[in-house]
Amino acid sequence: MRMKSILMKTALILAAAFLAWNVSGQEKGRPDRDTLRIVSEFTLPSTPDSLSAYLDTVEVKKKMVINDYSMIGLQYGMNISQVSWNPSMRQKSLFFPYNFGIFYTRYGKMFGYMPYFGFQAGIIYTKEGYSFKPDDETEAWPDLGGPYSGVRQAVMDVIEVPLLAHIHVDFWKMKLLADIGFFVGYRLNIERSGQDIDPAIANSFIDTDRRFDYGIKGGAGFAFVFDPVEIHFTAMYKYSMGTLHQPDYYSTYYYRYSYPSNIVFSVGLHFQLTKRTGMTKHQLRREAKEQAGLTMSLDFSMPETEAREQ
């Protein structure tokens, strides 16, 4: 029975070391100093009852582990729109309470252990545009000239498809968010108004308009988490690199550029498609198989050991 006693002591040492490892909160990598201290100070009890009494004195601190999970959500927002003009034009901001989107979010661990990253993709319907204002002294209105002569305001319906790097830091029932990436878009229609404008351009695009759009966007926010639902509040800045008109529409010698920009405030309701924290079904099945394999291994090895002792 000496071999059986050695096996029992070895199993007790491994159990104590495994518990100390989990107490330290180390999911991967080398154990920290607290782990080494716990293992080094542990003295093998003479009986299982002594080990059980020791383990009852250990204070286990649970650590929230974020899984690689995904979500789908709906977003509603409002945006403030302007256009960056070159040469500059006097203008005022336009406010639009129209910003609707559907998003898919996928979280993942960078390098296998940094659970702060993911990506977000979606489709958004929104409005954007510009509105000129007169000079304070001369009261003269800016004029785009050419086919756009007399236009003082333009409003466009836009479809946008963003793809963003999504960074999150989770704590308690909340998370901090940051996004940065790019988008592509398409200007669906336009409504122009002003002084003596050409009726042909009032509600339609013309040859010198550019309808495809692209650019960059980024922002930050926070979220409340009520598994399996999350409520996200974000503020985003979008800058278009797709000009509204052909730069040489007015003159082949003097180009005019127009790049829309928007500040968007939104709230989103997101639904978790997979488990956010704790062990997933895949992890539970894998652990069950490993435990079953270990149990079978021990069952087969014990009779051989006892046979040798006899």
Side-chain angles (χ1 to χ4, degrees), residues 164 180-183 214-218 237-241:
L164 307 173
I180 188 168
F182 63 90
F183 72 91
Y214 64 97
I216 58 175
K217 66 185 307 182
Y237 176 73
K238 183 184 82 170
Y239 181 77
S240 172
M241 292 184 285

Side-chain angles (χ1 to χ4, degrees), residues 49-67:
D49 292 338
S50 300
L51 175 61
S52 178
Y54 170 78
L55 296 179
D56 289 339
T57 65
V58 177
E59 181 181 355
V60 178
K61 295 182 180 179
K62 295 183 178 180
K63 181 180 180 180
M64 181 176 66
V65 178
I66 305 298
N67 296 324

Side-chain angles (χ1 to χ4, degrees), residues 57-114:
T57 65
V58 177
E59 181 181 355
V60 178
K61 295 182 180 179
K62 295 183 178 180
K63 181 180 180 180
M64 181 176 66
V65 178
I66 305 298
N67 296 324
D68 296 346
Y69 73 103
S70 57
M71 301 185 301
I72 190 167
L74 303 174
Q75 174 184 290
Y76 166 76
M78 54 195 68
N79 61 294
I80 300 171
S81 181
Q82 279 193 343
V83 172
S84 297
W85 298 97
N86 186 11
S88 62
M89 301 278 189
R90 288 182 59 83
Q91 64 177 322
K92 58 183 178 181
S93 300
L94 288 177
F95 173 78
F96 299 109
Y98 307 103
N99 195 289
F100 306 96
I102 300 175
F103 282 89
Y104 172 77
T105 307
R106 171 67 180 176
Y107 291 106
K109 297 181 178 64
M110 182 173 285
F111 308 119
Y113 68 93
M114 298 175 65

Side-chain angles (χ1 to χ4, degrees), residues 253-309:
Y253 302 101
Y254 300 99
Y255 284 13
R256 292 185 173 180
Y257 297 93
S258 50
Y259 301 104
S261 61
N262 294 273
I263 299 175
V264 183
F265 301 96
S266 62
V267 57
L269 183 63
H270 298 262
F271 302 89
Q272 299 167 4
L273 300 178
T274 52
K275 194 175 180 64
R276 173 174 171 262
T277 60
M279 299 187 72
T280 64
K281 291 182 180 180
H282 175 73
Q283 291 171 327
L284 289 172
R285 286 196 296 267
R286 183 175 61 185
E287 185 179 89
K289 290 181 181 179
E290 291 175 352
Q291 291 180 350
L294 178 61
T295 302
M296 293 179 62
S297 176
L298 291 175
D299 289 343
F300 282 111
S301 62
M302 288 301 294
E304 297 176 2
T305 305
E306 293 176 357
R308 295 193 196 98
E309 290 295 322

Side-chain angles (χ1 to χ4, degrees), residues 7-19 39 42 44-45 51:
L7 289 173
M8 177 65 73
K9 291 182 179 181
T10 302
L12 292 175
I13 292 174
L14 292 174
F18 178 77
L19 176 63
V39 174
F42 177 75
L44 181 67
L51 175 61

Side-chain angles (χ1 to χ4, degrees), residues 130-134 139-154 191-202:
Y130 59 87
S131 181
F132 295 135
K133 64 180 181 179
E139 298 185 354
W141 286 83
D143 189 40
L144 293 174
Y148 309 106
S149 181
V151 175
R152 295 181 178 178
Q153 180 172 296
E191 181 179 345
R192 298 181 176 100
S193 59
Q195 183 72 28
D196 300 325
I197 65 173
D198 185 350
I201 70 168

Side-chain angles (χ1 to χ4, degrees), residues 14 18 98 118 123 155 173 184 226 249 304:
L14 292 174
F18 178 77
Y98 307 103
I123 182 169
V155 176
K173 295 292 184 179
V184 294
F226 308 98
Y249 77 89
E304 297 176 2

